[in-house]
Amino acid sequence: MKNKLLTAFACAALCTAGSLSAQTPIYLDDSQPIEARVQDALGRLTLEEKVALCHAYGKFASAGVPRLGIPELWWSDGPHGVRAEINWNDWGYSNQTNDSTTAFPALTCLAATWNPEMSAKYGKAIGEEAVYRGKDVLLGPGVNIYRTPLNGRNFEYMGEDPYLASVMCVPYIQEVQKNGVAVSVKHYALNNQELWRDHIDVYASDRALYEIYLPAFKAAVQKGGAWTVMGAYNKFRGQHCCHNELLLNKILKGDWGFDGVVVTDWGGAHDTYEAAVNGLDVEMGSYTNGLTSESEFGYNDYYLADPYLKMLKEGKVPLSTVDEKVTRILRLVFRTAMNRQKPYGSLCTDEHYAVAREIGDEGIVLLKNDPVTKKGNPLLPIDASKYERILVVGDNAVRLLNEGGGSSELKVKDMVSPLDGLRELYGDKVQYAHGYLAGRPMYGQVEEVPQAVVDSLRDEAVAMAREADLVILVGGLNKNHHQDCEGGDRIDFGLPFGQDELIEALQAVNPNLVLVLLTGNAVDMPWLDKVPAIVQGWYLGSMGGKSLADVLGGAVCPSGKLPFSFPKKLTDCPAHAFDSMAYPGDSIKEEYKEDILVGYRWYDTKEIPALFPFGYGLSYTSFEYGKPVISAKKMEADGTLTLSVAVKNTGSVAGKEIVQLYVGDEKCSLLRPQKELKHFDKILLQPGEEKTVTFTITPDDLKFYDDRVGRWVAEPGKFKLYVGASSTDIRGTATFELL
Ligand code: GLC
């Protein structure tokens, strides 16, 4: 008896000493392992509370359990920054004054850096802004493969190559989640266009699925540790991706071991039974057409709300389905909303602006930089001492490109436009002419510009160009509907709003023309031979004007390389090389007829030269590659070998070079692309400096997905290693035999 009394007193003493009281439930005890907290919380929930956790109860909020002190989860766009607050129950902005954020460069720009360090910096900064804004889930990154230059949302993704996208998404994910904010890797999967996005039924082979469209998602889950994955709107092989047995249960949760939450794209759920049994965990945004209208349905009418509860109570779906969902949802809650270890974050800091600027600096791609005259120097970097009048032209020189584009749009605190950046650098040498007008960013519609306005703006710019020493035209697309925007694909491959005519007219009166394209896609370039200097500038975010000035002015040596190919004409593109079933489909179904030959895999294998190839980008210096040296001429099936190559900066300024390693299977029982990117390394070299880059080739680098046996295999035989400065600029090769 005495001992029991002593124990009771000791326990009481301990409790009063401020540590956890004996009756503190495990799920509320931070010191407990998450899985123990999950199981404890699960056991305390009623069926109704469990179902409530599985769907939205606000436009961007899913329910918690007030009775148990489990908070709601806050979900927020997007991949390039934390979106402004949206009203509780409609798509309007709530116009708060405390939700302006940093607009980071679009993910195509991040991919174009080919620098995983930039990805880590990006994730850390955007994660700090998300946790500061009280968000539990950040709806990004997008890693859908760039299959056609007409896809309205390519600017949100990481290009045409699954390996590049796989490498570049992982650090972003890891660093965001270190802030106690989950990512939501999207849109899983095969969401490669916006036209008919909410229902188009995609058919692609197992090889295309596993070799092209899934790898970046697999890396995001298995290497990045993503805590949520967003199902895509479209269908795959007849089933909506948001409740797709193959994609969610078999591959994502089964093969890959994903332990997080599958959330719909907003409005991506279409069936209660499928949602119950095919791997969906949280339903958001139903009964809306995506962004503009809301039906009269309430949140309790969601597929995973009352209809689901009814099926559970009637035994039409196993109770185990809701416990499986809620286990994942609670795991997410304890990783985020109820994670008391997470930092407080920060917003619009100098550090974040510096990250945005650095990513822009490293992602800008120099496409062309020829001397205007045979004996002259290239126009870039700009030598301001040579010019008195620098004319900047273009709507995109002043346009706030953080707006538009759909759900990834942002309200910014600061936004340095290209004109601002160039004026900061060149002062009153800079004059400005609008040159062309793009109309306001309006979701789902395009504001036409009267021809009279087009003509007068062009004539005004041409007149000023005649008097200028240098002309910098900042054009491109503009994140309007049909112009790099969610909800619609581009309808033309060319530049809009009379830009082609403007380019020709400006060049005719002043050959010293620098063209800066701000786009998330390849565009047609009928004027290519006439324009001496061309820069692919991406959507650069809050510090875009500074990044452009850094590169155009030479403070930064351009080092970005294209994450996707620029075709000479649209029909050269594999998705457009077949019939309309290959793109955009017949509004019901679509067949990816190019199969595994996406991007450079098509151009190089079919020997169709791209206008600018995957992995291409110029510098203000030059690099010389030595002869590649491999460590062996034969490789065991479970062995490795290394390839080393010396790279030297043979120019006069420091620069970074992206050394790319492609692998070609010289003899395979199935079709394989001529070569596939399997390694890359970005190195800084001072003038005259030489470094040796070494890659380790593993069996995984040699494998293809053999759909005859349903697994990855590497067939013995001869392989060729290509060391390239781009997918076509091959500086050396080496061959070996796989035993
Ligand atoms: C949109 C987009 C998705 C976004 C979500 C919430 O329709 O497809 O990327 O995160 O809905 O806005």
Side-chain angles (χ1 to χ4, degrees):
M1 180 56 184
K2 185 180 171 216
N3 282 346
K4 278 193 175 172
L5 274 177
L6 280 176
T7 306
F9 278 123
C11 187
L14 190 66
C15 294
T16 49
S19 68
L20 289 167
S21 60
Q23 69 274 17
T24 301
I26 290 173
Y27 78 97
L28 291 177
D29 179 350
D30 284 301
S31 67
Q32 296 292 332
I34 280 189
E35 294 313 308
R37 299 178 71 185
V38 167
Q39 291 312 314
D40 179 44
L42 183 67
R44 297 167 185 268
L45 297 174
T46 65
L47 182 60
E48 287 72 12
E49 288 167 337
K50 290 177 183 177
V51 169
L53 289 171
C54 298
H55 62 85
Y57 89 134
K59 191 54 71 191
F60 282 91
S62 57
V65 186
R67 177 179 67 86
L68 293 177
I70 296 174
E72 60 212 16
L73 286 174
W74 279 94
W75 312 66
S76 172
D77 290 311
H80 307 147
V82 186
R83 190 177 185 184
E85 295 304 325
I86 290 197
N87 293 331
W88 180 259
N89 196 36
D90 67 43
W91 287 100
Y93 285 107
S94 47
N95 298 317
Q96 293 179 197
T97 54
N98 62 346
D99 56 356
S100 297
T101 50
T102 302
F104 295 94
L107 293 190
T108 35
C109 180
L110 175 59
T113 69
W114 291 60
N115 188 343
E117 288 171 23
M118 293 296 113
S119 176
K121 290 185 174 185
Y122 197 129
K124 179 177 183 295
I126 196 172
E128 288 169 351
E129 302 225 342
V131 71
Y132 181 87
R133 283 275 306 283
K135 304 305 176 186
D136 301 304
V137 186
L138 183 69
L139 301 172
V143 295
N144 292 103
I145 290 296
Y146 183 115
R147 175 176 179 257
T148 164
L150 301 188
N151 177 17
R153 291 184 84 172
N154 277 330
F155 72 95
E156 290 187 50
Y157 305 147
M158 295 185 171
E160 72 188 27
D161 181 79
Y163 178 76
L164 178 63
S166 299
V167 171
M168 292 305 291
C169 76
V170 166
Y172 175 114
I173 293 165
Q174 292 169 333
E175 290 301 319
V176 167
Q177 297 189 154
K178 284 180 185 171
N179 289 284
V181 175
V183 299
S184 197
V185 187
K186 66 190 187 180
H187 305 85
Y188 183 72
L190 296 111
N191 178 191
N192 305 99
Q193 67 191 53
E194 289 299 291
L195 182 55
W196 305 316
R197 67 171 177 167
D198 57 358
H199 63 270
I200 192 74
D201 190 2
V202 173
Y203 284 77
S205 71
D206 276 352
R207 288 199 66 200
L209 179 68
Y210 286 98
E211 291 187 33
I212 303 297
Y213 297 103
L214 291 185
F217 288 100
K218 183 177 183 182
V221 166
Q222 293 193 328
K223 292 180 180 166
W227 290 342
T228 89
V229 168
M230 182 189 292
Y233 279 130
N234 52 285
K235 292 180 178 179
F236 180 60
R237 295 180 185 168
Q239 223 170 37
H240 271 284
C241 290
C242 287
H243 28 80
N244 187 295
E245 164 64 23
L246 171 67
L247 292 177
L248 299 180
N249 281 348
K250 187 210 181 285
I251 296 173
L252 177 65
K253 294 182 173 180
D255 299 345
W256 298 351
F258 176 60
D259 74 351
V261 163
V262 173
V263 63
T264 61
D265 196 339
W266 267 233
H270 297 272
D271 179 274
T272 294
Y273 180 77
E274 282 195 9
V277 301
N278 284 356
L280 178 62
D281 300 308
V282 177
E283 174 188 2
M284 300 295 286
S286 294
Y287 307 118
T288 67
N289 68 6
L291 274 178
T292 53
S293 79
E294 169 85 33
S295 76
E296 71 284 1
F297 288 95
Y299 294 102
N300 289 333
D301 296 303
Y302 272 38
Y303 296 99
L304 283 183
D306 289 353
Y308 182 39
L309 182 61
K310 186 168 180 290
M311 288 186 96
L312 286 164
K313 287 182 172 176
E314 293 170 354
K316 290 180 178 169
V317 289
L319 287 173
S320 61
T321 61
V322 72
D323 284 349
E324 206 265 347
K325 298 176 197 307
V326 171
T327 295
R328 291 169 180 270
I329 295 164
L330 289 170
R331 192 174 290 138
L332 177 62
V333 168
F334 294 126
R335 284 169 165 166
T336 58
M338 291 181 78
N339 165 6
R340 274 198 279 233
Q341 313 310 319
K342 66 185 179 184
Y344 292 104
S346 55
L347 199 63
C348 301
T349 62
D350 291 345
E351 291 76 19
H352 293 172
Y353 288 151
V355 167
R357 181 173 182 173
E358 189 180 8
I359 292 163
D361 287 349
E362 284 230 9
I364 288 171
V365 180
L366 180 57
L367 294 178
K368 185 178 178 185
N369 192 27
D370 291 349
V372 176
T373 58
K374 286 227 182 331
K375 294 196 175 63
N377 289 323
L379 294 177
L380 299 176
I382 294 169
D383 175 358
S385 65
K386 288 165 55 178
Y387 307 117
E388 284 311 311
R389 280 157 305 188
I390 298 173
L391 176 65
V392 176
V393 181
D395 191 63
N396 273 357
V398 296
R399 187 179 197 86
L400 291 178
L401 285 168
N402 52 295
E403 295 172 357
S407 59
S408 63
E409 69 173 349
L410 296 167
K411 177 162 79 171
V412 294
K413 187 162 171 290
D414 295 287
M415 188 77 179
V416 180
S417 69
L419 182 60
D420 293 344
L422 291 165
R423 279 200 162 128
E424 209 171 292
L425 198 55
Y426 300 121
D428 54 14
K429 285 188 178 181
V430 172
Q431 300 167 323
Y432 175 67
H434 220 108
Y436 76 93
L437 204 54
R440 285 167 299 144
M442 297 186 294
Y443 191 78
Q445 51 189 312
V446 179
E447 183 180 49
E448 293 303 327
V449 180
Q451 190 56 44
V453 173
V454 172
D455 296 342
S456 69
L457 288 175
R458 183 184 62 244
D459 295 347
E460 176 200 38
V462 169
M464 292 174 74
R466 272 198 187 88
E467 308 308 317
D469 308 315
L470 177 72
V471 179
I472 302 171
L473 170 57
V474 186
L477 301 173
N478 42 57
K479 300 173 78 176
N480 276 351
H481 190 46
H482 297 319
Q483 308 290 346
D484 279 356
C485 182
E486 175 178 341
D489 283 347
R490 292 166 65 200
I491 44 185
D492 286 316
F493 182 45
L495 287 172
F497 304 108
Q499 290 179 75
D500 287 342
E501 295 77 12
L502 174 63
I503 290 166
E504 302 266 0
L506 289 171
Q507 193 277 333
V509 300
N510 192 326
N512 289 348
L513 175 62
V514 175
L515 173 62
V516 177
L517 291 173
L518 303 186
T519 76
N521 258 312
V523 297
D524 195 13
M525 297 185 175
W527 27 259
L528 177 63
D529 295 341
K530 296 178 182 170
V531 179
I534 302 173
V535 171
Q536 172 60 28
W538 313 117
Y539 299 120
L540 293 167
S542 289
M543 293 295 119
K546 288 183 180 286
S547 297
L548 273 177
D550 288 343
V551 172
L552 296 182
V556 167
C557 178
S559 65
K561 295 207 172 187
L562 293 178
F564 52 78
S565 314
F566 278 55
K568 285 184 176 172
K569 56 183 186 302
L570 190 57
T571 48
D572 284 353
C573 172
H576 299 265
F578 299 89
D579 57 16
S580 60
M581 275 308 283
Y583 175 85
D586 63 4
S587 85
I588 304 296
K589 185 178 171 185
E590 185 176 23
E591 295 167 28
Y592 286 10
K593 294 186 175 182
E594 76 282 8
D595 199 62
I596 59 171
L597 298 182
V598 174
Y600 70 90
R601 288 171 166 81
W602 172 269
Y603 301 115
D604 296 352
T605 307
K606 300 285 186 181
E607 296 182 353
I608 300 171
L611 189 63
F612 293 107
F614 173 79
Y616 172 91
L618 299 177
S619 172
Y620 293 150
T621 186
S622 52
F623 300 99
E624 199 172 83
Y625 288 55
K627 185 173 172 17
V629 177
I630 57 173
S631 56
K633 292 298 279 178
K634 295 185 187 308
M635 177 173 151
E636 297 292 337
D638 57 356
T640 63
L641 63 77
T642 62
L643 177 143
S644 294
V645 59
V647 182
K648 182 175 184 178
N649 180 343
T650 52
S652 59
V653 295
K656 293 184 177 181
E657 172 65 334
I658 299 163
V659 182
Q660 302 156 46
L661 184 80
Y662 297 83
V663 176
D665 186 346
E666 297 287 279
K667 183 176 170 303
C668 181
S669 59
L670 287 180
L671 168 74
R672 292 195 73 177
Q674 181 201 62
K675 61 174 104 69
E676 298 178 285
L677 181 73
K678 295 297 179 183
H679 291 280
F680 61 86
D681 193 7
K682 188 168 195 176
I683 53 173
L684 170 64
L685 292 170
Q686 298 303 322
E689 184 181 11
E690 180 178 276
K691 282 179 184 171
T692 297
V693 174
T694 298
F695 299 115
T696 299
I697 313 306
T698 68
D700 281 349
D701 295 333
L702 313 181
K703 290 178 179 173
F704 67 96
Y705 186 81
D706 188 340
D707 51 356
R708 299 165 297 188
V709 294
R711 57 187 168 79
W712 290 84
V713 300
E715 288 181 349
K718 194 173 167 191
F719 284 83
K720 189 170 187 178
L721 302 177
Y722 301 77
V723 177
S726 81
S727 62
T728 57
D729 182 1
I730 301 305
R731 305 294 183 89
T733 62
T735 57
F736 70 94
E737 185 181 358
L738 175 67
L739 301 177

